[in-house]
Amino acid sequence: MKELLMYIKLVLFNKTFMWLLFIVNLLGTIYGYIWYESQLSQTEAKFLLFVPDSPTASLFFTIALFAWLLKKNWKLIEALALITLVKYGLWAVVMNIWTYVENDYLGWMGWMLVASHFAMAVQAILYIPFYRFRWIHIIIAAIWTLHNDVIDYVFDQMPIYSSLDKYADQIGYFTFWLSIACILLASFIYQKRSKSIS
């Protein structure tokens, strides 16, 4: 088991693999913005930045990956990447499975979204050893994340899942606590790293 973990680390932290992951994330991010095109075309300009949640989370991680490949740490981007990637990765998994439960059907696109978004959350966790953010970066990322929730559920800019519209209040409540959990995760990682350094 220990040898397997060592092998996985060697693969994950291999520069060639990380460049490949960077390209995959960049292409996925571009596709994500295209996927939101119809919703963005109906969105007021002041909300545009906050509507495409998953691709923006993926963009943060793509930028963080690029920095690591340059042997740099862009700490605020790292905090935003961890919190939002885990949050929206898990959120999309739950929403698509909920859609399946509601409709008793989920097409191949829905299952593709489940798999890709779960992978988003997993990769954010796998690269924990690379994060160097501090409290200030967590606080700023927390404000961004909770502000995004307000835009989505107070100003009705949440991603469109038409079959789940009637559950908007419950989804908003779930999303708020998912945000809190992801912020706490970032705080735990920072505290653990601080203790190991001291």
Side-chain angles (χ1 to χ4, degrees), residues 8-195:
I8 290 170
K9 272 189 175 182
L10 282 172
V11 172
L12 283 173
F13 304 160
N14 175 273
K15 207 163 187 180
T16 303
F17 179 83
M18 289 176 70
W19 274 116
L20 180 62
L21 194 62
F22 168 78
I23 293 165
V24 168
N25 274 275
L26 181 61
L27 294 175
T29 299
I30 293 166
Y31 173 77
Y33 284 114
I34 293 168
W35 191 85
Y36 271 93
E37 190 175 13
S38 59
Q39 185 171 351
L40 290 171
S41 67
Q42 304 167 39
T43 300
E44 290 181 60
K46 63 184 177 182
F47 295 131
L48 284 175
L49 189 60
F50 304 102
V51 168
D53 300 323
S54 292
T56 301
S58 177
L59 178 63
F60 289 142
F61 187 75
T62 303
I63 295 169
L65 255 178
F66 183 68
W68 297 333
L69 285 161
L70 298 178
K71 299 191 183 304
K72 296 180 183 297
N73 287 93
W74 295 337
K75 297 170 186 176
L76 178 57
I77 294 295
E78 291 172 4
L80 285 163
L82 174 66
I83 292 170
T84 62
L85 210 59
V86 174
K87 173 189 172 181
Y88 291 115
L90 296 179
W91 186 91
V93 170
V94 171
M95 290 308 112
N96 280 283
I97 290 175
W98 194 347
T99 299
Y100 172 73
V101 171
E102 190 70 12
N103 299 332
D104 201 28
Y105 172 79
L106 188 66
W108 70 268
M109 178 73 78
W111 289 115
M112 183 272 290
L113 289 171
V114 168
S116 61
H117 282 76
F118 183 71
M120 282 169 54
V122 169
Q123 71 178 352
I125 300 296
L126 290 175
Y127 281 90
I128 281 174
F130 282 76
Y131 299 123
R132 294 293 178 270
F133 51 73
R134 300 182 184 278
W135 276 119
I136 185 63
H137 308 113
I138 295 171
I139 291 166
I140 295 169
I143 291 168
W144 167 277
T145 304
L146 294 171
H147 176 259
N148 207 345
D149 289 346
V150 171
I151 297 297
D152 281 355
Y153 298 99
V154 175
F155 293 94
D156 297 321
Q157 301 299 316
M158 66 176 280
I160 295 169
Y161 281 84
S162 52
S163 61
L164 301 181
D165 281 350
K166 59 187 174 184
Y167 301 112
D169 291 343
Q170 292 90 333
I171 292 170
Y173 184 77
F174 162 74
T175 305
F176 169 76
W177 284 110
L178 183 58
S179 294
I180 297 298
C182 293
I183 293 162
L184 290 174
L185 172 65
S187 303
F188 172 76
I189 289 167
Y190 172 70
Q191 286 179 314
K192 192 173 179 183
R193 193 181 70 245
S194 298
K195 283 178 184 175

